[in-house]
Amino acid sequence: MFDWLIVGAGFAGSVLAERLASQRGERVLVIDKRPHIGGNAYDRYDDSGILIHQYGPHIFHTNSEQIFDYLSRFTHWRPYEHRVLAEVDGMLAPIPINLDTVNKLFKLDLDSDGLAAWFAERAEPRAEIRTSEDVVVSAVGRDLYEKFFKGYTTKQWGVDPSQLDKSVTARVPTRTNRDDRYFTDAYQYMPEHGYTRLFERMLTHPNIKVMLQTDFEEARQEVAYRRLIYSGPIDEYFNFCYGKLPYRSLHFRHETLDRKWLQPVAVVNYPQTQAYTRITEYKHLTGQRHEKTSVTYEYPSDVGDPYYPVPRAENMELYKKYEKLALSEPDVWFVGRLATYRYYNMDQVVGQALSTFRRICQDVPVDRSARVRTQVAAE
Ligand code: FAD
Ligand code: UDP
């Protein structure tokens, strides 16, 4: 009998497995329907020996010392500040839009105050900022919105930015200085030996067993367990009883090229042309040295594995109905990007899992045999 069955070996499931096993001495079975741990953060060496991210570029960044310290138990880090270029009007320009972006695209020589005035002349005031279009148009005006955001967002999400919650494009700021970093968080690093190694360290514990290529449907019939942590899609757990929650998918095309480098930075976005949204070149992220280079093209799609919850009011309404069911499901905890239908970064999922663990500690007494196991492990 397992104390816990955990569905999903991504950040949500793995953090909880590690905490429950090491801090409460409980026996945990982690299952995943994929043939590997790590969820969407999984990385691997490809046929040429280059470390790539199977599910697109994953860059770790957080402002939380607590989350950074927690993950530092399982990895050393490589400092890395992410920079992105967008191909616009045939040029490569930095995004987030900043002073250099505007000066380069429009052949100007503005300073920060000049750029603030330039934006102010073009920005379209909005009484209320509700949508992903409002966020950008009200900050930089329609021209830059159309160049950088309209095409990319429509391609990525399959709907016009005016149909998406403001939180989507608000992830990308606008700056009047020359800071071209994609993130400004206090901690910006890549795991020194990759994410999969981090997950291996997290899940290597005598109280944790991992079963891959195992679907929840199969495990729930065949495994005896007391409590459940579920990090798959919440609508699937409830058999789509209120209908399907939309998740956006991607198709990844991985390639190794017989040249040292393809592009000047790790990620180049394509807001105006191409069926893919962006190309990622991994050696920039990992610091790996290799004569060849490996890249990934991301093609957005409605069908395929669920990767992104789609932030729109009507979807949140549907999610809230499922959440209500989830709250009354005894001995089950829903955690992670798919189970709580939130467009969360890795650090936010780790934070959510750690706070779920604290809630479990308050609400669920450790059973006596587990307490004995914790004492034995400590001795
Ligand atoms: P997941 O990693 O999705 O793990 C859930 C696991 O559950 C999966 O492995 C799945 O196979 C398994 N599962 C689902 N249903 C079942 C079932 N019925 N039975 C068995 N197993 C099941 N975050 C960042 O911080 N920085 C980034 O740069 C970044 N880039 C991203 C790029 C892309 C293309 C994507 C898609 C996401 C990115 N993220 C990034 C977000 C990051 O991937 C997530 O925040 C994080 O991986 C979510 O962890 P999770 O455990 O909630 O979900
Ligand atoms: N976005 C855009 N153009 C860009 C970069 C981002 O329109 O060049 C929009 C797009 O809608 C995207 C969102 O901003 O989905 C958030 O971007 P982010 O880079 O955070 O996306 P993620 O890495 O999560 O896919």
Side-chain angles (χ1 to χ4, degrees):
M1 165 77 93
F2 288 95
D3 297 307
W4 296 89
L5 173 64
I6 298 189
V7 179
F11 270 108
S14 299
V15 167
L16 276 155
E18 187 281 326
R19 292 285 82 190
L20 292 164
S22 72
Q23 301 303 298
R24 289 167 57 102
E26 292 175 317
R27 287 222 166 96
V28 182
L29 174 63
V30 181
I31 61 161
D32 203 297
K33 61 183 176 191
R34 289 170 168 166
H36 57 73
I37 57 173
N40 287 339
Y42 170 69
D43 53 15
R44 66 175 170 89
Y45 287 89
D46 66 13
D47 291 344
S48 299
I50 298 173
L51 186 61
I52 66 161
H53 296 183
Q54 173 96 356
Y55 305 99
H58 278 69
I59 295 111
F60 182 77
H61 56 103
T62 190
N63 278 317
S64 162
E65 186 179 356
Q66 183 220 348
I67 290 166
F68 181 70
D69 286 350
Y70 171 72
L71 290 177
S72 301
R73 296 175 194 195
F74 313 105
T75 188
H76 294 295
W77 300 97
R78 163 177 200 264
Y80 170 75
E81 288 185 324
H82 193 43
R83 288 184 167 77
V84 178
L85 296 171
E87 196 197 75
V88 170
D89 297 347
M91 281 178 257
L92 288 181
I95 171 123
I97 294 171
N98 64 55
L99 186 56
D100 289 330
T101 314
V102 172
N103 281 338
K104 181 168 187 183
L105 278 183
F106 298 95
K107 301 189 175 55
L108 297 171
D109 189 23
L110 300 171
D111 60 11
S112 288
D113 289 342
L115 180 59
W118 193 90
F119 282 154
E121 275 167 33
R122 286 157 181 82
E124 289 179 15
R126 291 277 197 275
E128 191 197 353
I129 310 270
R130 218 172 30 81
T131 73
S132 270
E133 178 186 302
D134 296 339
V135 172
V136 185
V137 168
S138 66
V140 299
R142 190 153 292 275
D143 189 24
L144 283 174
Y145 160 74
E146 284 180 354
K147 285 186 192 320
F148 284 87
F149 286 90
K150 189 173 165 69
Y152 187 106
T153 301
T154 306
K155 202 162 31 172
Q156 169 74 6
W157 298 94
V159 293
D160 190 84
S162 61
Q163 305 303 306
L164 276 176
D165 190 81
K166 63 181 177 195
S167 58
V168 176
T169 53
R171 289 168 61 90
V172 184
T174 303
R175 305 197 182 111
T176 51
N177 59 20
R178 302 188 59 194
D179 187 352
D180 62 345
R181 294 171 307 158
Y182 209 67
F183 309 113
T184 50
D185 301 54
Y187 303 92
Q188 303 189 38
Y189 293 96
M190 296 295 290
E192 191 178 51
H193 298 292
Y195 290 97
T196 302
R197 185 76 75 81
L198 182 163
F199 281 97
E200 280 165 8
R201 293 232 175 111
M202 221 178 226
L203 293 171
T204 302
H205 189 283
N207 293 342
I208 302 177
K209 195 170 162 44
V210 178
M211 275 171 73
L212 299 175
Q213 293 179 293
T214 305
D215 196 279
F216 176 47
E217 269 318 306
E218 198 184 333
R220 85 195 304 180
Q221 322 272 346
E222 290 173 14
V223 175
Y225 59 92
R226 289 201 176 87
R227 299 187 177 86
L228 178 69
I229 285 164
Y230 183 84
S231 72
I234 189 169
D235 55 343
E236 188 178 314
Y237 180 92
F238 291 109
N239 271 321
F240 310 102
C241 64
Y242 296 129
K244 261 183 168 269
L245 267 171
Y247 294 91
R248 190 72 172 154
S249 191
L250 292 170
H251 164 67
F252 301 98
R253 178 156 65 91
H254 303 295
E255 273 182 9
T256 301
L257 309 174
D258 210 358
R259 56 194 280 184
K260 208 158 182 178
W261 294 103
L262 174 68
Q263 55 193 37
V265 290
V267 171
V268 175
N269 288 352
Y270 289 85
Q272 293 174 321
T273 58
Q274 314 298 351
Y276 46 82
T277 48
R278 58 186 175 188
I279 304 178
T280 300
E281 184 170 28
Y282 293 101
K283 288 196 299 176
H284 291 288
L285 298 178
T286 59
Q288 189 179 357
R289 292 184 186 177
H290 200 289
E291 284 310 304
K292 296 185 180 179
T293 194
S294 290
V295 297
T296 298
Y297 301 74
E298 289 173 57
Y299 296 85
S301 165
D302 260 344
V303 290
D305 278 359
Y307 292 121
Y308 291 86
V310 184
R312 301 178 70 170
E314 67 205 63
N315 300 348
M316 279 318 285
E317 238 168 73
L318 181 55
Y319 164 68
K320 288 283 166 201
K321 289 168 79 175
Y322 282 114
E323 188 190 31
K324 214 164 157 199
L325 285 185
L327 289 170
S328 57
E329 191 81 346
D331 292 330
V332 185
W333 282 259
F334 292 81
V335 195
R337 181 148 142 148
L338 304 174
T340 60
Y341 205 68
R342 285 184 172 86
Y343 187 179
Y344 270 176
N345 295 325
M346 295 180 282
D347 65 317
Q348 294 170 299
V349 170
V350 172
Q352 190 191 43
L354 291 174
S355 67
T356 304
F357 176 69
R358 286 192 289 274
R359 241 182 31 242
I360 289 172
C361 290
Q362 277 167 18
D363 297 349
V364 183
V366 181
D367 98 271
R368 240 202 267 122
S369 51
R371 210 171 290 142
V372 172
R373 285 198 293 275
T374 321
Q375 278 164 6
V376 171
E379 278 162 17

Short mmCIF file of all heavy atoms in Angstrom, two decimals, residues 9-11 13-15 17-18 21 30 35-39 41-45 51 70-71 73-75 191 193-210 212:
data_model
loop_
_atom_site.label_atom_id
_atom_site.label_comp_id
_atom_site.label_asym_id
_atom_site.label_seq_id
_atom_site.Cartn_x
_atom_site.Cartn_y
_atom_site.Cartn_z
N ALA A 9 5.20 13.28 -13.37
CA ALA A 9 6.57 13.40 -12.84
C ALA A 9 7.22 14.71 -13.26
O ALA A 9 8.43 14.80 -13.43
CB ALA A 9 7.41 12.21 -13.29
N GLY A 10 6.40 15.76 -13.47
CA GLY A 10 6.93 17.10 -13.75
C GLY A 10 7.28 17.78 -12.43
O GLY A 10 7.40 17.12 -11.38
N PHE A 11 7.42 19.12 -12.46
CA PHE A 11 7.79 19.84 -11.24
C PHE A 11 6.76 19.64 -10.13
O PHE A 11 7.11 19.41 -8.97
CB PHE A 11 8.00 21.33 -11.53
CG PHE A 11 9.41 21.64 -11.92
CD1 PHE A 11 9.74 21.96 -13.23
CD2 PHE A 11 10.43 21.60 -10.98
CE1 PHE A 11 11.06 22.24 -13.58
CE2 PHE A 11 11.76 21.88 -11.32
CZ PHE A 11 12.07 22.20 -12.63
N GLY A 13 4.53 17.19 -9.50
CA GLY A 13 4.55 15.85 -8.91
C GLY A 13 5.87 15.53 -8.22
O GLY A 13 5.89 14.94 -7.13
N SER A 14 6.97 15.95 -8.83
CA SER A 14 8.28 15.56 -8.29
C SER A 14 8.60 16.29 -6.98
O SER A 14 9.15 15.70 -6.05
CB SER A 14 9.38 15.82 -9.32
OG SER A 14 9.13 15.05 -10.47
N VAL A 15 8.24 17.58 -6.91
CA VAL A 15 8.48 18.33 -5.67
C VAL A 15 7.68 17.70 -4.54
O VAL A 15 8.20 17.46 -3.43
CB VAL A 15 8.10 19.82 -5.84
CG1 VAL A 15 8.05 20.54 -4.49
CG2 VAL A 15 9.07 20.51 -6.78
N ALA A 17 6.52 14.62 -4.32
CA ALA A 17 7.06 13.29 -4.00
C ALA A 17 8.27 13.44 -3.08
O ALA A 17 8.38 12.77 -2.04
CB ALA A 17 7.46 12.58 -5.29
N GLU A 18 9.17 14.35 -3.46
CA GLU A 18 10.40 14.55 -2.68
C GLU A 18 10.07 14.99 -1.25
O GLU A 18 10.63 14.47 -0.29
CB GLU A 18 11.27 15.59 -3.39
CG GLU A 18 12.65 15.79 -2.80
CD GLU A 18 12.66 16.67 -1.56
OE1 GLU A 18 11.85 17.61 -1.47
OE2 GLU A 18 13.48 16.41 -0.65
N ALA A 21 8.22 12.12 0.80
CA ALA A 21 9.11 11.01 1.10
C ALA A 21 10.17 11.40 2.12
O ALA A 21 10.43 10.69 3.08
CB ALA A 21 9.77 10.51 -0.18
N VAL A 30 5.18 7.53 -7.94
CA VAL A 30 4.99 8.57 -8.97
C VAL A 30 4.80 7.86 -10.30
O VAL A 30 5.63 7.03 -10.68
CB VAL A 30 6.24 9.49 -9.08
CG1 VAL A 30 6.01 10.57 -10.12
CG2 VAL A 30 6.58 10.10 -7.73
N PRO A 35 7.52 8.26 -21.30
CA PRO A 35 8.59 7.32 -20.96
C PRO A 35 9.75 7.98 -20.20
O PRO A 35 10.85 7.44 -20.18
CB PRO A 35 9.07 6.82 -22.34
CG PRO A 35 8.73 7.92 -23.28
CD PRO A 35 7.55 8.65 -22.72
N HIS A 36 9.52 9.17 -19.60
CA HIS A 36 10.61 9.85 -18.90
C HIS A 36 10.03 10.70 -17.78
O HIS A 36 8.83 11.02 -17.78
CB HIS A 36 11.38 10.74 -19.88
CG HIS A 36 10.51 11.75 -20.57
ND1 HIS A 36 10.00 12.85 -19.92
CD2 HIS A 36 10.02 11.80 -21.83
CE1 HIS A 36 9.25 13.54 -20.76
NE2 HIS A 36 9.23 12.92 -21.94
N ILE A 37 10.92 11.09 -16.84
CA ILE A 37 10.54 12.03 -15.78
C ILE A 37 10.75 13.46 -16.28
O ILE A 37 11.28 13.67 -17.36
CB ILE A 37 11.38 11.78 -14.50
CG1 ILE A 37 12.88 11.89 -14.82
CG2 ILE A 37 11.05 10.42 -13.91
CD1 ILE A 37 13.78 11.82 -13.60
N GLY A 38 10.33 14.44 -15.47
CA GLY A 38 10.64 15.85 -15.79
C GLY A 38 9.49 16.64 -16.42
O GLY A 38 9.59 17.85 -16.55
N GLY A 39 8.44 15.92 -16.84
CA GLY A 39 7.32 16.62 -17.48
C GLY A 39 7.81 17.42 -18.66
O GLY A 39 8.70 16.99 -19.40
N ALA A 41 9.67 19.92 -18.67
CA ALA A 41 11.02 20.44 -18.51
C ALA A 41 12.09 19.39 -18.87
O ALA A 41 13.28 19.68 -18.78
CB ALA A 41 11.22 20.92 -17.07
N TYR A 42 11.66 18.24 -19.30
CA TYR A 42 12.59 17.14 -19.64
C TYR A 42 13.60 17.57 -20.71
O TYR A 42 13.24 18.16 -21.73
CB TYR A 42 11.75 15.97 -20.16
CG TYR A 42 12.52 14.84 -20.79
CD1 TYR A 42 13.33 14.01 -20.02
CD2 TYR A 42 12.42 14.58 -22.16
CE1 TYR A 42 14.02 12.96 -20.60
CE2 TYR A 42 13.12 13.53 -22.74
CZ TYR A 42 13.91 12.73 -21.95
OH TYR A 42 14.60 11.69 -22.52
N ASP A 43 14.88 17.29 -20.47
CA ASP A 43 15.89 17.51 -21.51
C ASP A 43 16.67 16.22 -21.72
O ASP A 43 16.65 15.32 -20.87
CB ASP A 43 16.80 18.71 -21.20
CG ASP A 43 17.45 18.65 -19.83
OD1 ASP A 43 17.45 17.58 -19.19
OD2 ASP A 43 17.96 19.70 -19.37
N ARG A 44 17.32 16.12 -22.86
CA ARG A 44 18.05 14.89 -23.21
C ARG A 44 19.14 15.22 -24.23
O ARG A 44 19.08 16.25 -24.90
CB ARG A 44 17.10 13.85 -23.81
CG ARG A 44 16.52 14.29 -25.15
CD ARG A 44 15.68 13.21 -25.80
NE ARG A 44 14.95 13.72 -26.95
CZ ARG A 44 15.42 13.75 -28.21
NH1 ARG A 44 16.63 13.31 -28.48
NH2 ARG A 44 14.68 14.23 -29.20
N TYR A 45 20.13 14.30 -24.30
CA TYR A 45 21.17 14.44 -25.32
C TYR A 45 20.64 13.83 -26.61
O TYR A 45 20.14 12.71 -26.61
CB TYR A 45 22.46 13.76 -24.86
CG TYR A 45 23.12 14.58 -23.77
CD1 TYR A 45 22.80 14.36 -22.43
CD2 TYR A 45 24.00 15.60 -24.07
CE1 TYR A 45 23.36 15.14 -21.42
CE2 TYR A 45 24.57 16.38 -23.08
CZ TYR A 45 24.24 16.15 -21.77
OH TYR A 45 24.79 16.94 -20.77
N LEU A 51 22.76 18.63 -25.78
CA LEU A 51 21.64 18.65 -24.82
C LEU A 51 20.52 19.54 -25.37
O LEU A 51 20.73 20.73 -25.62
CB LEU A 51 22.13 19.19 -23.47
CG LEU A 51 21.11 19.15 -22.32
CD1 LEU A 51 20.66 17.73 -22.00
CD2 LEU A 51 21.68 19.80 -21.06
N TYR A 70 15.50 25.93 -2.47
CA TYR A 70 14.97 24.56 -2.48
C TYR A 70 15.53 23.77 -3.67
O TYR A 70 16.07 22.68 -3.52
CB TYR A 70 13.43 24.59 -2.51
CG TYR A 70 12.87 23.21 -2.73
CD1 TYR A 70 12.92 22.24 -1.71
CD2 TYR A 70 12.33 22.83 -3.96
CE1 TYR A 70 12.46 20.95 -1.94
CE2 TYR A 70 11.86 21.56 -4.18
CZ TYR A 70 11.93 20.62 -3.16
OH TYR A 70 11.48 19.34 -3.39
N LEU A 71 15.46 24.35 -4.86
CA LEU A 71 15.93 23.62 -6.05
C LEU A 71 17.45 23.44 -6.03
O LEU A 71 17.98 22.48 -6.61
CB LEU A 71 15.49 24.34 -7.33
CG LEU A 71 13.99 24.28 -7.62
CD1 LEU A 71 13.66 25.10 -8.86
CD2 LEU A 71 13.50 22.83 -7.80
N ARG A 73 19.19 22.36 -3.81
CA ARG A 73 19.56 21.08 -3.18
C ARG A 73 19.79 19.99 -4.22
O ARG A 73 20.39 18.97 -3.93
CB ARG A 73 18.42 20.58 -2.28
CG ARG A 73 18.14 21.48 -1.14
CD ARG A 73 16.93 20.95 -0.41
NE ARG A 73 16.45 21.97 0.48
CZ ARG A 73 15.60 21.77 1.46
NH1 ARG A 73 15.12 20.56 1.67
NH2 ARG A 73 15.21 22.75 2.22
N PHE A 74 19.26 20.19 -5.42
CA PHE A 74 19.28 19.11 -6.41
C PHE A 74 20.13 19.44 -7.64
O PHE A 74 20.25 18.62 -8.53
CB PHE A 74 17.85 18.77 -6.86
CG PHE A 74 16.92 18.62 -5.69
CD1 PHE A 74 16.00 19.61 -5.39
CD2 PHE A 74 17.00 17.50 -4.88
CE1 PHE A 74 15.16 19.50 -4.28
CE2 PHE A 74 16.18 17.37 -3.77
CZ PHE A 74 15.26 18.37 -3.47
N THR A 75 20.68 20.63 -7.67
CA THR A 75 21.50 21.00 -8.84
C THR A 75 22.46 22.14 -8.50
O THR A 75 22.18 22.95 -7.61
CB THR A 75 20.61 21.43 -10.03
OG1 THR A 75 21.43 21.59 -11.19
CG2 THR A 75 19.86 22.73 -9.77
N PRO A 191 20.07 24.83 -14.90
CA PRO A 191 20.68 23.75 -14.10
C PRO A 191 21.95 23.25 -14.79
O PRO A 191 21.94 22.98 -16.00
CB PRO A 191 19.60 22.66 -14.06
CG PRO A 191 18.57 23.05 -15.06
CD PRO A 191 18.75 24.48 -15.42
N HIS A 193 23.77 20.61 -15.08
CA HIS A 193 23.78 19.39 -15.89
C HIS A 193 22.40 19.08 -16.46
O HIS A 193 22.10 17.92 -16.77
CB HIS A 193 24.31 18.21 -15.07
CG HIS A 193 25.72 18.42 -14.62
ND1 HIS A 193 26.78 18.45 -15.49
CD2 HIS A 193 26.23 18.68 -13.40
CE1 HIS A 193 27.89 18.70 -14.83
NE2 HIS A 193 27.58 18.85 -13.56
N GLY A 194 21.55 20.07 -16.54
CA GLY A 194 20.25 19.90 -17.18
C GLY A 194 19.15 19.58 -16.18
O GLY A 194 19.38 19.28 -15.01
N TYR A 195 17.92 19.67 -16.69
CA TYR A 195 16.74 19.47 -15.83
C TYR A 195 16.54 18.00 -15.47
O TYR A 195 16.15 17.68 -14.35
CB TYR A 195 15.48 19.99 -16.53
CG TYR A 195 15.44 21.49 -16.64
CD1 TYR A 195 15.86 22.15 -17.79
CD2 TYR A 195 15.01 22.27 -15.57
CE1 TYR A 195 15.84 23.53 -17.89
CE2 TYR A 195 14.99 23.66 -15.65
CZ TYR A 195 15.41 24.28 -16.83
OH TYR A 195 15.40 25.65 -16.90
N THR A 196 16.80 17.11 -16.41
CA THR A 196 16.51 15.70 -16.12
C THR A 196 17.37 15.21 -14.95
O THR A 196 16.89 14.49 -14.07
CB THR A 196 16.73 14.84 -17.39
OG1 THR A 196 15.87 15.36 -18.40
CG2 THR A 196 16.43 13.38 -17.14
N ARG A 197 18.64 15.66 -14.92
CA ARG A 197 19.51 15.29 -13.81
C ARG A 197 18.96 15.83 -12.49
O ARG A 197 18.96 15.15 -11.45
CB ARG A 197 20.92 15.83 -14.06
CG ARG A 197 21.94 15.40 -13.04
CD ARG A 197 22.39 13.97 -13.22
NE ARG A 197 23.27 13.83 -14.34
CZ ARG A 197 24.59 14.11 -14.31
NH1 ARG A 197 25.16 14.50 -13.19
NH2 ARG A 197 25.33 13.98 -15.38
N LEU A 198 18.44 17.07 -12.52
CA LEU A 198 17.82 17.66 -11.33
C LEU A 198 16.65 16.78 -10.84
O LEU A 198 16.54 16.47 -9.65
CB LEU A 198 17.33 19.07 -11.69
CG LEU A 198 16.67 19.99 -10.66
CD1 LEU A 198 16.69 21.42 -11.20
CD2 LEU A 198 15.27 19.62 -10.29
N PHE A 199 15.82 16.35 -11.79
CA PHE A 199 14.67 15.51 -11.41
C PHE A 199 15.13 14.15 -10.88
O PHE A 199 14.53 13.62 -9.94
CB PHE A 199 13.74 15.31 -12.62
CG PHE A 199 12.84 16.48 -12.88
CD1 PHE A 199 13.17 17.45 -13.81
CD2 PHE A 199 11.64 16.63 -12.18
CE1 PHE A 199 12.35 18.54 -14.05
CE2 PHE A 199 10.81 17.72 -12.41
CZ PHE A 199 11.17 18.67 -13.35
N GLU A 200 16.19 13.61 -11.48
CA GLU A 200 16.70 12.31 -10.98
C GLU A 200 17.10 12.44 -9.52
O GLU A 200 16.79 11.59 -8.70
CB GLU A 200 17.92 11.87 -11.81
CG GLU A 200 17.53 11.23 -13.13
CD GLU A 200 18.71 11.12 -14.10
OE1 GLU A 200 19.86 11.40 -13.71
OE2 GLU A 200 18.44 10.76 -15.27
N ARG A 201 17.79 13.54 -9.21
CA ARG A 201 18.23 13.75 -7.82
C ARG A 201 17.03 13.90 -6.89
O ARG A 201 17.03 13.44 -5.77
CB ARG A 201 19.08 15.01 -7.72
CG ARG A 201 20.39 14.91 -8.44
CD ARG A 201 21.53 15.29 -7.49
NE ARG A 201 22.80 15.07 -8.14
CZ ARG A 201 23.63 16.05 -8.51
NH1 ARG A 201 23.32 17.30 -8.25
NH2 ARG A 201 24.76 15.77 -9.08
N MET A 202 16.00 14.56 -7.39
CA MET A 202 14.81 14.80 -6.56
C MET A 202 14.08 13.50 -6.25
O MET A 202 13.58 13.28 -5.15
CB MET A 202 13.87 15.69 -7.38
CG MET A 202 13.23 16.76 -6.60
SD MET A 202 12.23 17.71 -7.79
CE MET A 202 12.71 19.29 -7.28
N LEU A 203 14.07 12.62 -7.25
CA LEU A 203 13.23 11.42 -7.12
C LEU A 203 14.00 10.20 -6.61
O LEU A 203 13.40 9.15 -6.39
CB LEU A 203 12.57 11.10 -8.48
CG LEU A 203 11.54 12.15 -8.94
CD1 LEU A 203 11.10 11.90 -10.38
CD2 LEU A 203 10.31 12.15 -8.01
N THR A 204 15.31 10.35 -6.44
CA THR A 204 16.09 9.21 -5.93
C THR A 204 15.99 9.20 -4.41
O THR A 204 16.69 9.94 -3.73
CB THR A 204 17.56 9.30 -6.38
OG1 THR A 204 17.56 9.35 -7.80
CG2 THR A 204 18.37 8.10 -5.91
N HIS A 205 15.10 8.40 -3.91
CA HIS A 205 14.88 8.30 -2.47
C HIS A 205 14.27 6.93 -2.20
O HIS A 205 13.41 6.49 -2.98
CB HIS A 205 13.93 9.43 -2.01
CG HIS A 205 13.82 9.54 -0.53
ND1 HIS A 205 13.07 8.66 0.23
CD2 HIS A 205 14.38 10.40 0.35
CE1 HIS A 205 13.18 8.99 1.51
NE2 HIS A 205 13.97 10.04 1.61
N PRO A 206 14.69 6.27 -1.12
CA PRO A 206 14.17 4.91 -0.88
C PRO A 206 12.65 4.85 -0.76
O PRO A 206 12.07 3.79 -1.00
CB PRO A 206 14.85 4.50 0.44
CG PRO A 206 15.70 5.63 0.88
CD PRO A 206 15.74 6.67 -0.19
N ASN A 207 12.01 5.96 -0.39
CA ASN A 207 10.54 5.92 -0.25
C ASN A 207 9.80 6.24 -1.54
O ASN A 207 8.57 6.29 -1.57
CB ASN A 207 10.07 6.93 0.82
CG ASN A 207 10.53 6.53 2.20
OD1 ASN A 207 10.89 5.38 2.42
ND2 ASN A 207 10.54 7.48 3.13
N ILE A 208 10.55 6.54 -2.62
CA ILE A 208 9.87 6.92 -3.88
C ILE A 208 10.09 5.84 -4.93
O ILE A 208 11.22 5.43 -5.20
CB ILE A 208 10.41 8.25 -4.44
CG1 ILE A 208 10.25 9.38 -3.43
CG2 ILE A 208 9.71 8.61 -5.76
CD1 ILE A 208 10.82 10.73 -3.89
N LYS A 209 8.97 5.42 -5.51
CA LYS A 209 9.06 4.50 -6.65
C LYS A 209 8.48 5.25 -7.86
O LYS A 209 7.48 5.98 -7.73
CB LYS A 209 8.21 3.27 -6.33
CG LYS A 209 8.49 2.10 -7.24
CD LYS A 209 7.79 0.86 -6.69
CE LYS A 209 7.65 -0.22 -7.73
NZ LYS A 209 8.83 -0.47 -8.56
N VAL A 210 9.12 5.09 -9.02
CA VAL A 210 8.64 5.78 -10.22
C VAL A 210 8.24 4.74 -11.26
O VAL A 210 8.98 3.80 -11.52
CB VAL A 210 9.76 6.68 -10.81
CG1 VAL A 210 9.29 7.36 -12.10
CG2 VAL A 210 10.21 7.73 -9.79
N LEU A 212 7.03 4.64 -15.21
CA LEU A 212 6.81 5.43 -16.43
C LEU A 212 5.88 4.68 -17.38
O LEU A 212 5.55 3.52 -17.14
CB LEU A 212 8.15 5.75 -17.08
CG LEU A 212 9.09 6.56 -16.17
CD1 LEU A 212 10.46 6.74 -16.80
CD2 LEU A 212 8.48 7.92 -15.82
#
